[in-house]
Amino acid sequence: MKRIFIIFAVFLLISSSTLANNAVEEFETYSIKNTLNKEKTDRAQIKELLYNLNEYSNTHDTDKIKKFYSKDYISYDGFNRDAFIAAIKETFEMYPDITYKSKIKSMQIFDNWASVQLTDTSVSNKQALTQAIVNNKPVLDKKIEGVMESVCDYVVYLKKTAGRWEIYADSIIAESTSIKYGNAKDLKMDIISPLVVKGGEDYCISLNIENRPENSLMLASLSREEIKYPPKMPVDAFRKVPKDGILERVVKANNNGINEYSLASVGITEISLNEEKTAINYQMSGIAFLMKRVNIYTNKNTVDKKHVDKILKKEPL
């Protein structure tokens, strides 16, 4: 289950960015002219491009999605176009009912370049197998319903080439994802981590659960994972969630300039006596996975420190 989540987490945010990317032969990503056969403004063309991209994201048509993106496209996390599309395909296979909504927050056009800030939301329903021990016998085929919800704020950069706009790059500002199964869906829980961290420095991941259920055992793990393709499965021990519903862990950011996810995995086990009061029944009644993006920055030596000191001290250059 955790492996599925990690793969999805990496790809979901990509698919969020996906809601705006690609361009290629024999398929028009948008119409240059309006019904009066007059050329649309650049703003109108870009809005239609993003609208169409969202439509093809919802029909899971990766061949058409690819055509919205420049062949030179590079994502904020270092994915080229092929890796980006491969990640989207895996997301669609894993979450066949995933749907997207995309909202344009602002748009700036600079000659043949443009930047658009968007907020994307995505939703998918899911089932998971859970385990139980009833009357001292294991029950292995029980299923619980789940739902995935994600919000991504990001900027896409478009370039006008040969008279047509296509997505050239993106920059993800913030992203959060939750996948909740069973009674975890009714719990108010959140994972808190910094939006930006300097590479190599420590930061705190905090899990907050407000209304933890009674008569249950709640375990959770907290970890961090670098955003790579394909992703790796983090390894971390589960700990008992305290009565106040707060669990924290300090981790060290990578020093390679690779963006990360802070991750929380939560399991809820209900404990009760059977009707005859002769055995204790255990049932995993809820599972949750929470994720937030952590953007990593590193030291870059592009400044002449002596020159800066002279300016600040008003010394002659």
Side-chain angles (χ1 to χ4, degrees):
M1 184 61 221
K2 198 167 188 179
R3 175 64 178 171
I4 291 176
F5 170 64
I6 296 303
I7 293 177
F8 170 76
V10 173
F11 299 153
L12 174 55
L13 99 108
I14 294 168
S15 10
S16 297
S17 294
T18 291
L19 270 50
N21 278 18
N22 282 318
V24 107
E25 63 275 350
E26 297 182 2
F27 170 76
E28 286 195 354
T29 53
Y30 66 93
S31 176
I32 293 178
K33 295 185 178 181
N34 59 24
T35 55
L36 299 176
N37 204 34
K38 292 184 178 180
E39 186 171 337
K40 296 176 183 176
T41 64
D42 288 328
R43 183 175 294 271
Q45 291 179 33
I46 293 171
K47 287 180 68 175
E48 184 177 345
L49 180 152
L50 296 174
Y51 174 83
N52 290 344
L53 176 58
N54 189 74
E55 291 294 294
Y56 290 119
S57 295
N58 281 317
T59 59
H60 300 181
D61 193 332
T62 52
D63 289 336
K64 289 182 178 177
I65 288 173
K66 183 177 181 179
K67 297 175 183 180
F68 286 82
Y69 292 81
S70 166
K71 60 180 176 59
D72 298 319
Y73 165 82
I74 293 292
S75 79
Y76 183 64
D77 297 309
F79 292 65
N80 63 17
R81 190 174 69 170
D82 286 344
F84 180 79
I85 296 301
I88 296 169
K89 285 185 176 182
E90 290 204 47
T91 299
F92 291 162
E93 291 172 1
M94 193 175 303
Y95 293 82
D97 70 333
I98 190 169
T99 59
Y100 302 93
K101 291 183 180 179
S102 186
K103 181 179 179 181
I104 295 175
K105 300 181 71 173
S106 65
M107 183 187 303
Q108 300 290 329
I109 299 174
F110 312 91
D111 295 325
N112 290 328
W113 287 92
S115 65
V116 184
Q117 184 177 351
L118 304 101
T119 296
D120 288 350
T121 57
S122 54
V123 178
S124 175
N125 294 309
K126 195 77 174 171
Q127 282 189 338
L129 283 173
T130 185
Q131 296 184 3
I133 297 176
V134 179
N135 294 324
N136 294 322
K137 294 181 179 180
V139 179
L140 304 177
D141 58 351
K142 185 177 178 59
K143 292 183 179 180
I144 50 177
E145 301 294 326
V147 61
M148 179 284 300
E149 298 177 310
S150 180
V151 179
C152 182
D153 292 289
Y154 64 104
V155 177
V156 293
Y157 300 96
L158 301 98
K159 182 180 181 181
K160 196 173 187 179
T161 304
R164 296 190 67 86
W165 291 96
E166 57 186 4
I167 296 172
Y168 201 79
D170 61 35
S171 177
I172 297 176
I173 302 168
E175 180 193 8
S176 61
T177 301
S178 68
I179 308 175
K180 297 180 180 180
Y181 295 91
N183 63 10
K185 294 188 293 183
D186 301 322
L187 301 183
K188 293 181 180 179
M189 60 176 71
D190 190 20
I191 183 172
I192 300 173
S193 55
L195 184 66
V196 181
V197 173
K198 184 178 180 181
E201 289 194 348
D202 293 340
Y203 67 91
C204 181
I205 302 173
S206 177
L207 172 66
N208 295 305
I209 303 173
E210 291 185 19
N211 53 337
R212 54 170 297 166
E214 297 180 358
N215 301 320
S216 64
L217 174 64
M218 184 175 289
L219 302 176
S221 70
L222 299 176
S223 59
R224 51 161 285 275
E225 177 66 22
E226 296 174 14
I227 301 176
K228 295 180 178 180
Y229 184 75
K232 295 180 179 179
M233 181 172 62
V235 178
D236 184 50
F238 277 76
R239 292 176 286 168
K240 185 177 180 181
V241 177
K243 291 183 179 180
D244 61 4
I246 299 175
L247 187 66
E248 295 183 327
R249 181 186 178 189
V250 175
V251 298
K252 185 180 292 293
N254 76 85
N255 209 16
N256 303 315
I258 300 173
N259 298 310
E260 299 182 352
Y261 288 123
S262 58
L263 305 166
S265 302
V266 182
I268 305 168
T269 301
E270 292 183 353
I271 305 172
S272 62
L273 288 173
N274 64 358
E275 293 182 0
E276 296 78 16
K277 297 184 179 180
T278 58
I280 299 176
N281 295 335
Y282 299 89
Q283 176 179 319
M284 181 168 281
S285 58
I287 307 169
F289 304 95
L290 307 176
M291 178 205 80
K292 280 197 175 173
R293 165 179 286 267
V294 179
N295 294 308
I296 306 297
Y297 72 95
T298 57
N299 289 324
K300 295 182 179 179
N301 186 20
T302 61
V303 175
D304 186 330
K305 188 176 182 301
K306 291 183 180 179
H307 183 85
V308 173
D309 290 341
K310 287 182 179 180
I311 296 295
L312 296 178
K313 295 175 183 179
K314 296 183 179 180
E315 297 178 355
L317 299 176

